[in-house]
Amino acid sequence: ANGRYETNPAACATSALSGLIPSFYSRDWWDEHITSATAYGEWRKGMDQFYLGLQDTRDLYYLTKAMGNTTVAETPGYNGDLAAALGAIQAKTLFIIAPQDEFLPPAYIEMQRQMIKHVEVLSIDSSAGHLICCGADPKATEVLSTGLNSFLTNLSTSK
């Protein structure tokens, strides 16, 4: 229905995201944490309560459509030139990556990092992969917190 639903078909969102979930974590994370059918069932129950069961199908539809059909290079004035568009960013920028991220590979971020003038990269080594952001690895959460605090402190003290 092109995202036009009178009521949210939540099962559709859960099904769609379930296909992406394997790439949110690294293969090592799966091997470390999902060691039995019971472990999978417990993980899945938590994931349904924390993430999968909370999604709005409309939001996912439009997000997916935007991710597949837009780029910052299409910003008016840049005529599709990604290097020019990213090079025009004046804000201090922080990329947070995990070398094990299978959803958004670090090489993709590295390409963007080279085009943005004032950029820092916080690399967090964690088997949680893409989900270093979301408590999947307590040590990664600690490194993330320290890194964000440092970045924000430097922003507030620099001119």
Side-chain angles (χ1 to χ4, degrees):
N2 293 320
R4 294 184 303 269
Y5 308 106
E6 290 186 28
T7 58
N8 180 32
C12 293
T14 299
S15 293
L17 285 172
S18 292
L20 296 174
I21 288 290
S23 63
F24 285 180
Y25 301 95
S26 73
R27 300 293 168 238
D28 288 341
W29 186 93
W30 288 106
D31 290 344
E32 292 168 20
H33 294 89
I34 308 302
T35 56
S36 67
T38 301
Y40 175 79
E42 290 173 12
W43 168 83
R44 181 59 192 241
K45 181 179 177 185
M47 184 58 81
D48 285 345
Q49 292 171 348
F50 168 73
Y51 185 69
L52 292 175
L54 304 177
Q55 301 303 312
D56 185 294
T57 302
R58 291 169 289 240
D59 291 347
L60 291 173
Y61 173 81
Y62 290 116
L63 173 64
T64 303
K65 192 171 180 178
M67 288 174 69
N69 294 323
T70 61
T71 174
V72 70
E74 294 173 3
T75 302
Y78 296 103
N79 301 316
D81 185 343
L82 182 61
L86 292 176
I89 296 173
Q90 295 299 310
K92 292 182 180 177
T93 305
L94 176 64
F95 283 116
I96 302 166
I97 66 167
Q100 301 87 337
D101 191 336
E102 296 179 17
F103 188 73
L104 188 60
Y108 180 73
I109 299 300
E110 177 59 23
M111 181 266 308
Q112 294 179 59
R113 184 200 64 77
Q114 292 177 14
M115 296 179 202
I116 299 173
K117 293 178 180 114
H118 309 287
V119 67
E120 293 179 36
V121 175
L122 173 59
S123 181
I124 301 174
D125 186 24
S126 171
S127 66
H130 194 71
L131 293 184
I132 57 172
C133 64
C134 307
D137 175 351
K139 289 182 182 179
T141 300
E142 190 175 315
V143 173
L144 177 61
S145 177
T146 300
L148 283 172
N149 281 329
S150 176
F151 180 76
L152 294 172
T153 297
N154 289 339
L155 279 181
S156 66
T157 59
S158 65
K159 295 180 181 183

